[in-house]
Amino acid sequence: MMAISNPTRADVILPESAPVKRILLVDCDAFFVQVARLEDPEGAGKAPLLIVGGSPTGRGVVTSASYEARAYGVRSAMPTAHALRLCPDATVVGVPRSAVSARSQSVKEALMDLSPVVQAASVDEFYLDLTGTERLFQNESFAETAWRIRETVLERTKVSVSLGGGTRRVIAKLATNFAKPAGVHIVPAGEEEAFLRGLDLADLPGIGPSLAAALEKRGLVRVEDAYAVQIEWLQRWFGERRGAWLYRRIRGVDSSEVDPRERRKSISSERTFFADIDDDEELERRLMRQAGSVARTMRQQSFRAKTVTVKLRDHDFKTRQHSRTVPEPIESDHAIYGVAKTLLAELRRKRRVPARLLGVGLTGLVASSATSQLGLFAEPVAGETERERTVSRTVDELRNRFGREAVMPGRLVEDDHAPRVPKGDAK
Amino acid sequence: MNFTITRQNLHNGLAAVSASIPSKTTLPVLSNILFEAKEDAVWMSGTDLDVAVRVKVPADVKELGRLTAPGKKLQEITRELPEQPVEVATRGEQIELKCGRSNFKLNGLPADEFPSLAEVDFSEGWTVTGKDVNGLIHHTTFAVSTEESRPILNGVLWELREGSMRMVATNGHRLARMGVPAESGGAPSADFIVPPGALQHVQRLFKDDDTIEVARSGNHLGFRADSTEVYTRLIEGTYPNYDQVIPRDNDKVATIDKKALESAVRRMAVVASDQTHRIRLKFEPGRVHLNVLTPDLGEGHDELEIGYEGEELEIGFNANYLLEVLRYMPTDEVDVAFKAPERAVTIEPSGDNDIDYLCLVMPLRLLD
C-alpha cells in the first residue's frame, strides 16, 4: 500500500516491501485493583476477593474487580450491590484516584524509554508503535520484545501489564484479551484473518450489545459467519456508513496510527452517590463540585470547551443527558457551572425523581491560545470575562500550592466542615 | 358556523396562520386554528402564546360561529382539494369540509379554550410602511443573540423617534444597526425589544406597499394592516447602550469589492478551525492579504486589491461573522473601517448613498 501511495519514500527506505507495522497494546491488569493493593498492602493487599469502586453498603458501581472476584461473575460498571450479592465475601474499597493517575504516569514514563511512539489511550491502556525497530531488536522476536517490556515495566513500576500485538491497532487490542492476565499474545503478520475468524462479533471493538443483537437476529454470531456477507447487505441493514464500517471492522481493517499527540476529545467526571439524592439544591452542590473538577483538569491541559454535557441517572437506572454548545469556548468554573446548572435544571424539570448518578462532560476542546473573541460589552453575552478566567486560574495556583481544600466556593464549604457556630448560640 | 370559501382563499388563510402554530406543544388547542365566521368574512388565528397571527379571509358566511380545528391537517387537506368552492361547517365539536364530492370531518376543540389574543388599541399608535419595516428587519435580525444568558439580546431593539426609526441587533460580538426616515404622525418616541420570530412573521405577512399600524398594550405589541394582524410579547428590560460601543474614531478605511471579499473569506473559512473559525486579514496600501493557519489541518492564503491608503495592520476575525455581515450589505462595495487590531471594526455600504446602515464586528485577539 505504502509503495503505491508514496513510492519515493518507500523506494528509498525499503526497496523490497512496505514496512510491516508492529503495534502493541499495553493493558494494565485489573489496574485499579493493583493500585489499591499497592497503596494499602496490609488491607486491600491481603484481600483476594477485592472490589474497587462503590461502598461496602453497596452503593455505586464497580470500577474494577480482582480476577478472583471476577470468577464470581463480578464485572466493572456493575452496581456494587449486585456484585456483593454475587460475591458476598468481597472487600470493597473506594477508588484511589490520585494514586491511579500517579501510577499511570509512571507506567507511561517507563514505556517511553522502551518504545519510540507511545500513546495513552486511557489511564490503563497504552499503544506502542515499534515499527522500524526490527533491526534494533534483531536478536529477539516481536513476542520476546513484548515480554521484555512487560518485565521492565513490572520491575520499574511494580505494575503488572498484559500485551497484545499485531499489525494494526484493532488487532493489538483484540490480542490483549488473550494475553490477560500477565501475559503476551502476538498475532503474527498474515494471520490476522484466521485470528479474527475465531472471534465472536460481539468481541470486536465498536460492536455493542444492541448491534450484536441485531446481527444475531440475522444469524450472525461469529466473525466467521459475517465474513460471507456482502457489503451491500450490511449497508441495507445498518445504513450506508455503518454497514461499510462493519464490513471493514470484520476484516480488521484499521488505518489509525498510534499518535502520541492524539488530542483529548473530552473530559468528564461521573459520580454515583452513596444514597440517592432528590434535593435540587444538594444536586446543584454536587454539580458545582464536579464541574469545578473537570474544568480544572481541562485548564491544566490548556484547553477551553465549547460544549457542556450533564448526565443524570435516576434511581430506576433511567439515564438522561442534556448538552449545550456555547458560541465561544469557556474555561472558568463560573461559566462552566453556569451552563451545567441550566442543563441540570432542564433535566430535573422533565423528571424530578431521586438521582443516583451525576456526570459532567466537556467536549469541543480547543487550545486556550487559539481562542479569544473580543466582546463589545464589558459584560459577556455568552462565555466568560477575562476576570472570571483569571479567578479560576488563580484558584488553581493556590490549590496547587496549598492543597485542594485551600480555596473553595462558599457553597461547598458547609458539606465538608461542621458548622462553625456552636449550636447553643443559634437563636 | 357555516361558510363557503374558495379553495385558494382557504389555502392562503391557512398558510398565513399555520406558520405561527408551534410544532410541538403540551397544550393541544395550540395545534389548532381558531375560525371565527363574522358578517362578511372569516377570521383565522393561530398562536404559540408568544406570537399570534390573525388574518381575515373573504367568504360567504351563512351562519356565524366559532370553532378551533387542527391546523396542519386542514392545510394538508386543502392542498389536495380540487379548485372548487369549499363549504365549511361545524357539526358539534367537529369541523366539516365539503368540496365537490370530497367530504371530511375533523375533531375540533371549543373556541373558548383558545387563548385570547392581546387587546391592542390601534388608535394610539404609530403608522409605518411595509417597505421601511421589512427593510429594517431584513438587515438587522440576523445579528440577534441565540444565547439564553442575556435574554435582552435575544430581541431586536426598535427605536421609534420623531422623523426616523431604527432597528439594532447584536450578540455581543457583532452588531447590525439600520435607520430610515419615518413620519411618526405625532406619536411619542418609544423603544421596543421585539423577538425576532415575531418580526419574521411581520416580514412574511406584510407587503412593501402595506400601511402598517403599530400599537402597544402593556407588554404586547400589535401590527395591523388591512386583513392581517400580528401580536407579540415584548422582551422586558433595558437594552445595553449600543451607541457607546460604536467607534467614532476608526480612521483607517478600506474600500473593498463586496463579492470578491465574500468569496475570499469563504475560501479561507474552509481551512479555518471548526471551533474558532479564525482567519487573519492583513491590510496594506492597495491590498489585503487573507491568511488562515489551523494546527492539525493546514493553511491558506489569498489576496485582493482594495482601496486603502493607511498603514499596515493585521486583524483576526471569526470568518462567519464577516460573512454574515457581508451578505446583508446592500451595495457592491463596502467600507471597512478600523483603528487597531483589537478594536471594533465597522462595515458600511460604500459610495454616495443615503443608506443609514452600519455593521460592527469585534476581532479575534491574535496571540501569535
Side-chain angles (χ1 to χ4, degrees):
Chain A
M1 280 298 275
M2 189 115 173
I4 298 164
S5 62
N6 196 349
T8 334
R9 200 178 137 202
D11 285 350
V12 174
I13 303 170
L14 290 156
E16 281 163 22
S17 66
V20 173
K21 294 229 170 208
R22 299 180 3 130
I23 292 170
L24 284 176
L25 174 60
V26 180
D27 187 331
C28 305
D29 299 318
F31 188 48
F32 287 70
V33 169
Q34 281 201 66
V35 176
R37 286 181 168 159
L38 288 168
E39 292 299 306
D40 179 16
E42 291 306 307
K46 290 195 169 152
L49 295 172
L50 183 65
I51 292 174
V52 179
S55 68
T57 54
R59 291 295 304 185
V61 292
V62 177
T63 303
S64 182
S66 66
Y67 287 99
E68 292 86 340
R70 290 184 196 190
Y72 287 81
V74 176
R75 296 283 175 272
S76 54
M78 171 184 279
T80 306
H82 185 190
L84 282 170
R85 276 198 295 277
L86 294 171
C87 182
D89 297 330
T91 304
V92 179
V93 297
V95 179
R97 284 179 201 282
S98 52
V100 162
S101 39
R103 297 266 174 188
S104 170
Q105 187 58 35
S106 53
V107 170
K108 186 175 177 184
E109 279 162 16
L111 292 172
M112 282 164 80
D113 291 343
L114 297 164
S115 164
V117 184
V118 179
Q119 178 194 338
S122 69
V123 75
D124 59 353
E125 285 183 323
F126 305 87
Y127 281 101
L128 312 183
D129 189 346
L130 293 167
T131 312
T133 58
E134 295 85 348
R135 222 169 279 174
L136 188 64
F137 305 138
Q138 51 186 315
N139 299 327
E140 58 185 21
S141 68
F142 193 17
E144 282 164 349
T145 309
W147 278 110
R148 183 171 50 77
I149 291 173
R150 193 193 121 69
E151 299 311 323
T152 315
V153 170
L154 184 61
E155 202 174 291
R156 279 182 54 180
T157 68
K158 302 209 168 42
V159 174
S160 162
V161 296
S162 299
L163 293 94
T167 51
R168 283 159 244 162
R169 275 174 62 145
V170 62
I171 301 284
K173 167 100 184 155
L174 288 165
T176 44
N177 296 336
F178 293 85
K180 277 191 256 187
V184 165
H185 188 94
I186 304 290
V187 178
E191 289 179 24
E192 294 87 353
E193 186 180 328
F195 171 71
L196 286 166
R197 277 178 182 258
L199 303 176
D200 279 350
L201 285 163
D203 294 334
L204 301 181
I207 300 188
S210 64
L211 182 54
L215 285 161
E216 190 175 349
K217 229 173 72 189
R218 294 172 173 88
L220 309 176
V221 177
R222 314 270 299 162
V223 173
E224 177 95 61
D225 308 333
Y227 244 89
V229 180
Q230 291 165 332
I231 188 167
E232 290 77 10
W233 282 102
L234 294 175
Q235 288 179 320
R236 191 179 295 185
W237 292 334
F238 303 111
E240 203 166 313
R241 278 185 60 184
R242 205 155 172 230
W245 171 84
L246 193 55
Y247 186 83
R248 290 196 304 272
R249 173 98 324 170
I250 290 163
R251 281 155 186 77
V253 178
D254 181 7
S255 56
S256 61
E257 301 279 332
V258 176
D259 180 1
R261 290 162 301 128
E262 189 173 71
R263 285 186 299 163
R264 281 190 82 147
K265 295 189 177 86
S266 71
I267 293 170
S268 61
S269 144
E270 279 183 14
R271 291 291 155 87
T272 304
F273 308 132
F274 284 105
D276 292 345
I277 297 178
D278 197 18
D279 178 36
D280 284 337
E281 226 172 277
E282 179 58 23
L283 278 171
E284 273 188 15
R285 264 201 296 275
R286 300 299 184 116
L287 184 74
M288 181 181 257
R289 183 186 289 273
Q290 277 174 250
S293 141
V294 287
R296 182 169 179 226
T297 308
M298 179 178 74
R299 284 192 298 271
Q300 280 167 350
Q301 300 173 17
S302 303
F303 282 121
R304 283 182 195 161
K306 278 206 87 171
T307 305
V308 180
T309 303
V310 171
K311 178 172 165 183
L312 208 54
R313 181 168 298 145
D314 295 332
H315 67 101
D316 54 0
F317 280 85
K318 191 180 159 85
T319 307
R320 309 171 291 138
Q321 62 178 47
H322 268 199
S323 297
R324 173 142 314 135
T325 299
V326 293
E328 294 305 326
I330 48 179
E331 64 167 50
S332 69
D333 287 357
H334 181 86
I336 287 166
Y337 173 66
V339 177
K341 196 172 129 184
T342 324
L343 294 171
L344 177 66
E346 286 168 14
L347 287 167
R348 293 285 290 168
R349 208 162 33 238
K350 283 201 177 152
R351 193 166 189 255
R352 198 179 298 272
V353 295
R356 60 174 289 123
L357 173 146
L358 180 67
V360 186
L362 303 174
T363 45
L365 303 182
V366 245
S368 333
S369 59
T371 62
S372 33
Q373 168 70 52
L374 299 164
L376 266 173
F377 306 112
E379 196 185 325
V381 173
E384 57 200 358
T385 54
E386 198 57 51
R387 194 168 159 269
E388 283 160 357
R389 283 183 203 132
T390 314
V391 167
S392 286
R393 287 183 195 158
T394 312
V395 167
D396 287 350
E397 267 176 48
L398 287 169
R399 285 180 176 169
N400 289 343
R401 282 171 64 181
F402 302 111
R404 202 180 277 208
E405 314 239 313
V407 189
M408 58 167 73
R411 229 177 138 180
L412 297 182
V413 173
E414 284 175 68
D415 16 303
D416 291 343
H417 305 283
R420 305 249 161 99
V421 186
K423 270 188 184 160
D425 290 353
K427 277 227 161 145
Chain B
M1 181 179 80
N2 187 322
F3 62 86
T4 305
I5 187 169
T6 65
R7 191 208 72 93
Q8 191 60 47
N9 279 342
L10 181 60
H11 173 80
N12 292 351
L14 289 169
V17 173
S18 325
S20 66
I21 293 179
S23 50
K24 267 198 268 176
T25 173
T26 47
L27 198 59
V29 77
L30 296 185
S31 310
N32 285 11
I33 285 174
L34 172 68
F35 289 86
E36 292 169 292
K38 303 215 165 163
E39 298 297 336
D40 55 340
V42 173
W43 286 89
M44 299 183 199
S45 313
T47 183
D48 64 2
L49 293 180
D50 285 332
V51 181
V53 170
R54 188 162 181 255
V55 296
K56 185 168 86 169
V57 188
D60 180 12
V61 178
K62 294 192 190 71
E63 193 189 317
L64 308 184
R66 305 162 80 218
L67 182 73
T68 78
K72 289 278 181 291
K73 285 292 160 203
L74 280 172
Q75 208 184 0
E76 284 169 32
I77 290 170
T78 309
R79 197 179 295 138
E80 304 299 337
L81 288 177
E83 274 314 328
Q84 285 178 28
V86 187
E87 192 190 330
V88 182
T90 45
R91 297 276 177 264
E93 283 195 2
Q94 284 192 317
I95 192 166
E96 182 177 35
L97 271 77
K98 282 187 205 164
C99 178
R101 295 188 184 182
S102 308
N103 187 330
F104 298 90
K105 288 196 191 92
L106 292 176
N107 295 342
L109 286 167
D112 300 342
E113 288 186 21
F114 198 80
S116 47
L117 305 187
E119 303 239 344
V120 173
D121 178 5
F122 284 95
S123 64
E124 285 189 13
W126 300 261
T127 305
V128 294
T129 70
K131 182 166 182 276
D132 287 345
V133 169
N134 287 344
L136 296 185
I137 294 172
H138 175 73
H139 287 97
T140 55
T141 309
F142 76 92
V144 293
S145 162
T146 51
E147 277 306 295
E148 291 161 22
S149 51
R150 264 180 101 183
I152 204 91
L153 297 185
N154 298 145
V156 176
L157 172 67
W158 187 13
E159 297 175 331
L160 288 151
R161 298 282 179 275
E162 180 65 49
S164 70
M165 61 178 180
R166 233 180 208 184
M167 281 192 192
V168 181
T170 181
N171 72 345
H173 299 141
R174 46 108 169 84
L175 173 148
R177 183 198 74 189
M178 191 177 221
V180 288
E183 290 306 317
S184 67
S189 294
D191 286 359
F192 304 124
I193 303 168
V194 193
L199 294 175
Q200 273 152 14
H201 286 303
V202 169
Q203 207 185 354
R204 181 174 63 87
L205 295 169
F206 295 103
K207 292 183 285 295
D208 278 1
D209 55 6
D210 277 337
T211 300
I212 308 172
E213 293 172 86
V214 181
R216 175 184 197 157
S217 162
N219 194 29
H220 285 84
L221 195 65
F223 297 79
R224 180 173 85 174
D226 297 333
S227 55
T228 308
E229 296 170 8
V230 174
Y231 299 95
T232 176
R233 218 165 36 81
L234 290 168
I235 299 175
E236 286 174 271
T238 312
Y239 203 80
N241 188 347
Y242 70 89
D243 201 48
Q244 211 171 30
V245 298
I246 295 176
R248 315 268 176 233
D249 56 349
N250 277 356
D251 50 359
K252 304 179 178 64
V253 182
T255 303
I256 314 178
D257 182 277
K258 185 186 80 160
K259 283 227 172 70
L261 180 60
E262 224 179 330
S263 312
V265 172
R266 213 178 295 129
R267 283 192 288 273
M268 292 301 106
V270 175
V271 187
S273 146
D274 287 343
Q275 309 288 351
T276 65
H277 311 285
R278 182 175 74 173
I279 64 165
R280 293 154 176 263
L281 266 62
K282 191 165 124 197
F283 294 91
E284 61 180 43
R287 198 173 293 268
V288 61
H289 297 267
L290 296 97
N291 286 303
V292 59
L293 195 157
T294 308
D296 305 336
L297 182 58
E299 54 184 274
H301 174 87
D302 211 327
E303 55 184 73
L304 297 174
E305 277 171 25
I306 59 170
Y308 180 62
E309 304 293 325
E311 63 195 64
E312 197 177 294
L313 192 77
E314 190 171 31
I315 311 179
F317 286 104
N318 175 330
N320 286 356
Y321 288 161
L322 275 185
L323 287 174
E324 272 177 338
V325 163
L326 290 171
R327 189 177 312 140
Y328 292 96
M329 281 289 143
T331 52
D332 292 340
E333 286 196 320
V334 293
D335 285 340
V336 180
F338 40 89
K339 183 176 178 66
E342 297 190 1
R343 298 280 294 275
V345 172
T346 54
I347 302 177
E348 289 174 274
S350 179
D352 212 7
N353 57 59
D354 52 4
I355 308 168
D356 172 15
Y357 186 37
L358 175 138
C359 288
L360 183 157
V361 179
M362 286 305 287
L364 285 171
R365 182 174 292 149
L366 296 173
L367 296 167
D368 33 359

